Amino acid sequence: MKKRLCSREKFQPILGHDIDKPRITAAGWLLILFYLGVPAMVMGGAIDFAVQWVTGDCLGVWCLFQ
């Protein structure tokens, strides 16, 4: 399997059509953004809230609107 994934050979035509190599789509990039971005934002907000609760210093994004 490793040999197949790392090979640099040209892809064979499929039913007479020259198909490009597989690549990630816009929907794939969007899912990656949500999969990595949303948990990071939630964890960052929780850390900001915990610091504000313990120390009394506001350091989150919501401090801009107070």
Side-chain angles (χ1 to χ4, degrees):
M1 176 134 182
K2 183 178 177 185
K3 183 178 178 183
R4 189 181 86 201
L5 291 174
C6 295
S7 68
R8 298 241 180 219
E9 66 184 52
K10 199 169 187 176
F11 287 93
Q12 299 292 325
I14 299 174
L15 296 174
H17 296 282
D18 189 25
I19 309 269
D20 286 338
K21 64 181 179 177
R23 62 177 187 233
I24 193 161
T25 62
W29 283 114
L30 191 63
L31 287 173
I32 289 171
L33 177 72
F34 282 125
Y35 186 74
L36 297 176
V38 171
M41 289 182 352
V42 168
M43 287 174 49
I47 291 170
D48 288 343
F49 178 75
V51 168
Q52 182 179 356
W53 185 57
V54 170
T55 65
D57 294 334
C58 186
L59 52 102
V61 174
W62 47 83
C63 297
L64 298 172
F65 304 108
Q66 286 185 357

